[in-house]
Amino acid sequence: MDIENTQRLRETLKKLEEAFRRYNVPGKDQSALRAIQQLCVGLKGENDYITEKASRIATLAGIYYSARYETHPGGETDLMSEMSFQLPNVIRSQISRLERLQGDAEV
């Protein structure tokens, strides 16, 4: 993965964080769901691990931005924490790992 792709992924993560701040109320919200899912699509395709985590974020968003959040184990707080904090941090770590590997390959 080259530096342009890692920068694009980091920018997409930043936009995702902004979207979660904007859409921070659980419940049926199709515009929030579309925005989050579109950003998740932007994270996919460069790395299988990142694609898997982006898919998980999109899945959790489908629960959070519907009435199903009420029956989710851990409730809305756990959903928001996983999709807006934990998973993006895991993706960030993977991007850093890929950058290190790219740097090592150039040496």
Side-chain angles (χ1 to χ4, degrees):
M1 180 178 305
D2 62 26
I3 192 81
E4 287 179 20
N5 286 335
T6 58
Q7 287 176 342
R8 182 186 58 76
L9 290 173
R10 287 186 188 280
E11 288 171 13
T12 303
L13 276 175
K14 185 176 179 180
K15 289 176 185 176
L16 187 62
E17 289 172 337
E18 292 167 1
F20 282 127
R21 280 193 294 275
R22 188 175 330 121
Y23 302 112
N24 61 1
V25 177
K28 190 168 182 165
D29 187 340
Q30 287 299 313
S31 62
L33 181 58
R34 276 192 301 275
I36 300 301
Q37 288 178 335
Q38 183 177 11
L39 289 165
C40 287
V41 168
L43 292 169
K44 296 179 180 181
E46 295 296 330
N47 176 270
D48 290 342
Y49 185 77
I50 292 172
T51 296
E52 175 189 329
K53 300 309 175 192
S55 293
R56 176 76 177 149
I57 293 170
T59 298
L60 293 174
I63 296 168
Y64 189 80
Y65 298 112
S66 73
R68 295 182 300 161
Y69 80 91
E70 296 173 327
T71 59
H72 189 272
E76 67 186 74
T77 304
D78 282 359
L79 278 168
M80 182 55 94
S81 176
E82 184 176 355
M83 71 181 181
S84 70
F85 179 72
Q86 295 168 0
L87 289 168
N89 282 342
V90 167
I91 293 171
R92 236 181 242 96
S93 293
Q94 180 70 358
I95 293 168
S96 294
R97 180 182 165 277
L98 293 170
E99 288 171 337
R100 282 191 306 277
L101 290 173
Q102 179 67 23
D104 291 346
E106 292 175 358
V107 173

